Amino acid sequence: MIKMNEKLVRSCKEAVAVFGKLKLDRYKELSAKLEWCIGSYEHDRNPSGLIETGTMALNALKEFKTKNPRKVNKKVIDNLEKVVLGYSKN
């Protein structure tokens, strides 16, 4: 489970980086919440906030990619999706 948590943190950090590169106001709040959840996880090792916010980030990135296919790396979405779906199966 620890390895999965590490993948979740890494994928969420990648999502934050993507939101930062996009520089769109509509993602600032989600990006800030995701960063807060990363810090919270590093403090208490409880991944629940990361899972919830990571899912929201995943949905936002997927939606953005459908309209702007070249602006978001598919690997970032795939990594985040894999780890979020992994938690929903447990």
Side-chain angles (χ1 to χ4, degrees):
M1 193 57 119
I2 291 172
K3 190 172 185 174
M4 195 160 176
N5 289 351
E6 291 171 4
K7 288 180 181 180
L8 179 62
V9 170
R10 189 175 327 114
S11 296
C12 288
K13 285 181 178 180
E14 288 174 353
V16 168
V18 169
F19 289 135
K21 288 178 185 175
L22 294 177
K23 298 179 184 177
L24 297 173
D25 287 339
R26 64 181 169 192
Y27 297 123
K28 283 184 180 180
E29 185 178 338
L30 179 56
S31 181
K33 186 173 184 178
L34 198 52
E35 286 185 271
W36 186 89
C37 288
I38 291 167
S40 176
Y41 170 77
E42 290 175 352
H43 176 72
D44 65 12
R45 297 292 185 221
N46 182 346
S48 62
L50 272 179
I51 297 165
E52 181 182 332
T53 311
T55 301
M56 291 188 301
L58 173 62
N59 293 333
L61 289 172
K62 281 180 161 183
E63 181 182 332
F64 184 83
K65 186 161 179 71
T66 60
K67 297 172 186 168
N68 305 279
R70 294 181 177 241
K71 292 200 177 193
V72 178
N73 187 332
K74 186 177 179 339
K75 187 174 180 179
V76 172
I77 292 173
D78 289 347
N79 289 343
L80 189 55
E81 186 170 40
K82 191 182 307 179
V83 86
V84 167
L85 290 177
Y87 272 100
S88 66
K89 289 179 182 177
N90 289 339

